[in-house]
Amino acid sequence: MTATVKKSFFLVIAFMVSKVIAEGSPPPISEKAAYARWLVSSLSWGTLSTISTMDGLSGAPFGNPVSFADNFGNIYFCVSPLDQSIQDLESDDRVALSVSAAQFGNITSCLVPDGDPENPPCARLAISATFANITDADEWQTAKTVLYAKHPAFNNYGCFDSSNDNGHNFFLAKLNILQLWLIDIYGGAAIISPSEYFNSSSSLNYVNRVIS
């Protein structure tokens, strides 16, 4: 077994174990950065918002569901330049990725009639960032591994093999995070810096403990 194959194998195992633990063990809501990390690690899709370049909508916000996976809080995607969101990014690489605890489907505070996705204890997170193609070979391999673990159908689409993508020219991309905005309880939003988010592993030491 080559070193690359070994790394990929153990990365998948560590990722899947950490995902199961994270989904069952949210951190205290007072630990805002850790809670944001838990949401990102536990969920698999969100709404990617761009600044539209479509005719008749130029300059307006445009939201589009997108699948993702993370590693140590770094958020990765498989996307195609045929997608409208990616076309928008050719003019302006700024994005926001929004996720909600309502996506779990089993959190009482999120469920109608007693709760609602807008209920503050139904956590919601908006991540402001720039969107970038992954060019580093090692990071590309990491992104491939975690994306495949959460989204195995990506392999059928040709995300990881350009000879099998039917002309969609899929590529792997990531977020360069600028700021995070989190509501997980009453009292207003918490503004989380990238350093707080990425350094929260001490209080959330089970999220994505992945072999380096």
Side-chain angles (χ1 to χ4, degrees), residues 64-185:
N64 195 3
V66 64
S67 298
F68 68 85
D70 87 299
N71 180 54
F72 285 117
N74 293 292
I75 302 171
Y76 297 120
F77 310 85
C78 171
V79 292
S80 166
L82 299 179
D83 187 280
Q84 180 60 49
S85 298
I86 307 309
Q87 294 175 29
D88 293 343
L89 292 169
E90 293 178 4
S91 296
D92 192 324
D93 64 358
R94 292 176 296 171
V95 299
L97 177 69
S98 302
V99 297
S100 169
Q103 294 166 238
F104 291 118
N106 61 356
I107 296 180
T108 302
S109 61
C110 302
L111 300 176
V112 175
D114 296 321
D116 192 89
E118 284 196 31
N119 185 20
C122 180
R124 55 192 189 268
L125 174 69
I127 304 169
S128 298
T130 58
F131 199 86
N133 191 357
I134 296 172
T135 57
D136 179 79
D138 288 339
E139 186 173 21
W140 189 94
Q141 185 62 45
T142 296
K144 172 187 174 181
T145 302
V146 296
L147 283 166
Y148 180 74
K150 266 193 176 177
H151 307 283
F154 278 4
N155 196 50
N156 302 328
Y157 302 161
C159 279
F160 315 125
D161 181 2
S162 60
S163 67
N164 188 40
D165 72 358
N166 296 312
H168 287 82
N169 298 316
F170 288 111
F171 64 94
L172 304 190
K174 64 179 180 179
L175 293 186
N176 293 319
I177 296 174
L178 302 173
Q179 181 177 279
L180 303 96
W181 178 97
L182 172 72
I183 288 181
D184 61 358
I185 195 59

Side-chain angles (χ1 to χ4, degrees), residues 2-26:
T2 67
T4 299
V5 172
K6 281 184 178 179
K7 181 178 178 180
S8 296
F9 173 76
F10 288 115
L11 191 59
V12 168
I13 297 301
F15 174 84
M16 295 180 74
V17 169
S18 66
K19 179 177 183 293
V20 170
I21 296 173
E23 286 185 341
S25 307

